[in-house]
Amino acid sequence: MHKITTIKILSLLIPMLALFSSCKNEFKGYEYVAYFGGEVVNPNTRYVLFCKENEVLDTLKLDKNNRFFVQFDSLTPGLYSFRHEPEYQYIYFDKNDSIMVRVNSKDFDGSVFYCGRGDEKNNFLMELYLKNEKDRNKMFEFFDDNFEDFSKEIDSTYSKSTAFYNRKKGEIKWSDDFDVFAKASLDFNYYSKKELYPLVHKIRTGVDLIEKLPGDYYDYRKNINFNNAELSNYAPYVMYLSNMLNNMGTINYHNHFTEKDLALKTNINKMNIADTLIKNDKLKNNILNNIAFTYLLEDQNMANNNKFLETYNKLSTDKSKKNEITTICNAIKMLEVGQPLPEVILNDISGTKITSSSVCKPNTVFFFWTVNAKAHFESVHRKVMALKTKFPQYNFVAVNINDSAEDWKKVLSSYKFDGITELHCSDFENIKNKWAINKIHRTIIMDHKGLIKNAFANIFDSQFEDNLK
């Protein structure tokens, strides 16, 4: 867990202590009064969004000291989230909680620290989240292992996390309602690894273990409520369901299909399983939307997209999200081969606004990066420098997304990438909607006429260079 000095915590708390203490005896008249405030170090924007189930309940403006504070006259106990673009984290409120948070946008998750009434359970949730993230990052090496070694590793980790959970539960004595989320954070991280193992093992080693797994391997599924409305927007639960559907939706006779047709059949299979398994409309719609977002932003085949959407529209009842899916589909249609690239406004290193068409010369490759993924930033630039030597006829344009202009320039100042045009996108929503960008691994390739050759390439794909020939 990120360490914060006592002095920093006190500097945040002192301005609010008098207020909290003066309100202490007034809760009797206001059954569900609650307070939320805090400080954002190195803010990306001048506000924090307070949300419930992905809906914005309040926009909290930062003052000149980068602090915010709000009193809720009636706040229903439960799980909420606060968002400081592009990051977010969960926060749980019991009745009359008064919670302060301190966060540094440079290390968002690692810096979150709560204090005040209700802080202990939220700090537990954050600490368990960071433990799970650390565990997830090192797990990929264990997916190569045989079943016995893999099981030994994940069971050991789960046992330690369970002991941590039980100890904190005894110390803090949190409510049963909060325990729903605490237990979900513990269990579904473990269950996800079990779902992923046979799939990732086969991809990485070529060995198919599905038929060799013990008969009781998936017995934990029997105890899972696949219609838990409380968890319908909770990431560990939704991620588990997605991993499970990826596993259950796998088509074993894959050699009968092309790669694109296999992707279509697999994703339709996943949606049909979700429709059969999940009866809660809210949860089912969330899962269907996750499947749709992922599928529609991979390599494109318009005929297959239409077949996919037929099934999606038949199964989903979420009209608002359908509009979002429709927006993505419309953007994808504008990115078909032979089309001009839709216009967006970008900034050059001097801060001058320029149009994308002004840099979209014949034989241009657009690639993307963000400060928050430094390893990708370095590797993609190294890859491009090598491609420049091999394909000198191409113009390579790097587009920074999701960062401030200050951070963008600061990172670039430490590197020297000759011959790459470096641009910054200050309006991510615009480029996301027009170019269907939702991940930094996307690459857009323009042909010798300056028209789209492939708008959904991956620069790290082993066949990527074929697009440049």
Side-chain angles (χ1 to χ4, degrees):
M1 189 68 178
H2 184 79
K3 306 297 183 187
I4 299 181
T5 64
T6 303
I7 292 175
K8 287 183 177 179
I9 294 173
L10 287 175
S11 69
L12 174 61
L13 280 175
I14 287 172
M16 305 299 178
L17 286 177
L19 175 60
F20 284 162
S21 60
S22 67
C23 294
K24 187 175 181 180
N25 295 321
E26 296 179 16
F27 283 133
K28 294 178 181 178
Y30 300 92
E31 281 275 323
Y32 292 97
V33 167
Y35 299 90
F36 179 46
E39 178 184 4
V40 180
V41 181
N42 299 311
N44 295 323
T45 63
R46 299 309 305 169
Y47 59 87
V48 169
L49 300 177
F50 186 71
C51 308
K52 176 76 170 176
E53 297 179 351
N54 296 325
E55 297 294 328
V56 177
L57 301 182
D58 205 349
T59 300
L60 313 176
K61 293 182 179 179
L62 301 183
D63 64 18
K64 63 181 181 181
N65 296 313
N66 297 330
R67 292 173 179 169
F68 65 93
F69 182 75
V70 63
Q71 172 184 318
F72 296 106
D73 292 332
S74 181
L75 188 69
T76 303
L79 188 73
Y80 296 82
S81 64
F82 67 94
R83 181 180 295 274
H84 185 70
E85 300 293 359
E87 305 284 355
Y88 79 96
Q89 262 303 341
Y90 295 108
I91 182 168
Y92 190 94
F93 278 86
D94 278 315
K95 187 169 76 169
N96 301 149
D97 274 350
S98 305
I99 303 174
M100 305 294 291
V101 63
R102 188 177 192 274
V103 61
N104 188 330
S105 70
K106 302 296 185 187
D107 179 24
F108 192 90
D109 292 333
S111 68
V112 172
F113 189 88
Y114 299 100
C115 50
R117 182 185 297 148
D119 63 338
E120 288 184 304
K121 60 181 177 289
N122 282 294
N123 281 326
F124 160 79
L125 212 57
M126 198 65 227
E127 190 168 356
L128 186 56
Y129 168 81
L130 292 174
K131 285 178 181 291
N132 288 341
E133 284 297 293
K134 183 178 180 180
D135 176 45
R136 189 177 297 117
N137 289 335
K138 72 174 185 178
M139 269 310 300
F140 277 94
E141 62 186 271
F142 296 108
F143 285 127
D144 291 355
D145 291 349
N146 60 46
F147 171 75
E148 289 75 17
D149 290 344
F150 171 78
S151 294
K152 182 179 179 181
E153 172 61 29
I154 66 167
D155 289 348
S156 173
T157 302
Y158 182 56
S159 178
K160 291 175 184 176
S161 295
T162 301
F164 171 68
Y165 159 83
N166 287 329
R167 176 168 58 84
K168 287 294 185 180
K169 184 179 180 181
E171 292 174 359
I172 300 172
K173 296 178 172 56
W174 54 60
S175 66
D176 290 342
D177 289 336
F178 173 77
D179 194 55
V180 171
F181 300 98
K183 195 72 164 61
S185 292
L186 171 71
D187 290 341
F188 288 111
N189 179 61
Y190 173 65
Y191 298 157
S192 281
K193 287 184 283 191
K194 290 180 75 76
E195 297 288 350
L196 286 168
Y197 174 62
L199 297 179
V200 178
H201 186 84
K202 184 176 180 180
I203 291 171
R204 290 170 65 93
T205 68
V207 178
D208 190 346
L209 293 175
I210 293 176
E211 300 298 327
K212 300 177 183 178
L213 294 173
D216 62 352
Y217 183 75
Y218 295 111
D219 275 2
Y220 58 89
R221 290 178 181 170
K222 298 174 183 178
N223 299 316
I224 295 174
N225 177 4
F226 294 111
N227 292 283
N228 193 325
E230 282 186 279
L231 296 175
S232 61
N233 285 283
Y234 193 48
Y237 180 65
V238 175
M239 186 181 297
Y240 166 73
L241 291 179
S242 297
N243 289 330
M244 182 196 70
L245 289 169
N246 285 337
N247 194 358
M248 295 177 71
T250 299
I251 296 176
N252 292 324
Y253 46 94
H254 55 273
N255 290 333
H256 297 193
F257 306 107
T258 66
E259 187 176 339
K260 284 181 169 46
D261 285 346
L262 178 62
L264 171 66
K265 292 181 180 297
T266 298
N267 281 278
I268 287 179
N269 197 28
K270 287 192 287 186
M271 288 196 293
N272 285 326
I273 294 171
D275 183 57
T276 301
L277 196 62
I278 304 171
K279 300 306 179 185
N280 179 279
D281 278 348
K282 181 180 175 183
L283 177 58
K284 181 172 72 174
N285 286 334
N286 282 346
I287 295 299
L288 292 176
N289 290 331
N290 284 347
I291 295 171
F293 278 122
T294 302
Y295 175 75
L296 292 171
L297 291 168
E298 295 298 330
D299 287 347
Q300 290 304 305
N301 179 302
M302 297 309 297
N304 283 356
N305 279 0
N306 291 333
K307 292 176 185 176
F308 174 88
L309 287 170
E310 284 178 17
T311 302
Y312 170 82
N313 287 320
K314 181 176 70 174
L315 301 180
S316 175
T317 60
D318 189 341
K319 304 301 180 184
S320 62
K321 280 293 181 182
K322 278 186 181 178
N323 291 334
E324 214 171 322
I325 299 297
T326 301
T327 299
I328 289 176
C329 288
N330 289 338
I332 290 170
K333 288 178 182 177
M334 297 297 290
L335 297 170
E336 288 189 48
V337 173
Q339 296 265 32
L341 191 63
E343 190 88 289
V344 299
I345 302 299
L346 302 166
N347 299 306
D348 65 18
I349 202 72
S350 67
T352 303
K353 292 185 182 300
I354 61 173
T355 61
S356 55
S357 59
S358 67
V359 293
C360 189
K361 305 169 185 175
N363 294 329
T364 293
V365 174
F366 289 91
F367 64 99
F368 305 88
W369 64 277
T370 175
V371 170
N372 295 322
K374 190 175 181 181
H376 168 81
F377 159 71
E378 293 178 344
S379 59
V380 74
H381 277 79
R382 284 197 299 268
K383 176 78 171 178
V384 167
M385 294 301 288
L387 289 171
K388 277 183 59 60
T389 301
K390 200 167 184 180
F391 300 95
Q393 72 274 29
Y394 273 88
N395 172 44
F396 290 87
V397 180
V399 181
N400 173 268
I401 56 177
N402 268 346
D403 297 320
S404 68
E406 178 186 1
D407 289 341
W408 168 58
K409 292 177 184 178
K410 184 177 179 181
V411 169
L412 284 179
S413 67
S414 301
Y415 296 84
K416 186 176 182 180
F417 300 114
D418 292 333
I420 297 177
T421 302
E422 297 284 353
L423 300 175
H424 175 249
C425 171
S426 59
D427 187 353
F428 178 67
E429 285 300 311
N430 186 45
I431 200 171
K432 182 180 77 172
N433 292 334
K434 288 188 174 181
W435 290 4
I437 300 295
N438 83 322
K439 55 185 179 182
I440 54 177
H441 294 97
R442 272 277 301 285
T443 309
I444 299 175
I445 304 169
M446 311 303 291
D447 66 15
H448 66 284
K449 295 180 180 179
L451 301 175
I452 295 172
K453 186 174 185 179
N454 186 346
F456 296 89
N458 183 337
I459 202 166
F460 293 108
D461 190 289
S462 60
Q463 306 300 316
F464 177 78
E465 290 187 13
D466 292 344
N467 292 284
L468 306 182
K469 295 175 180 177

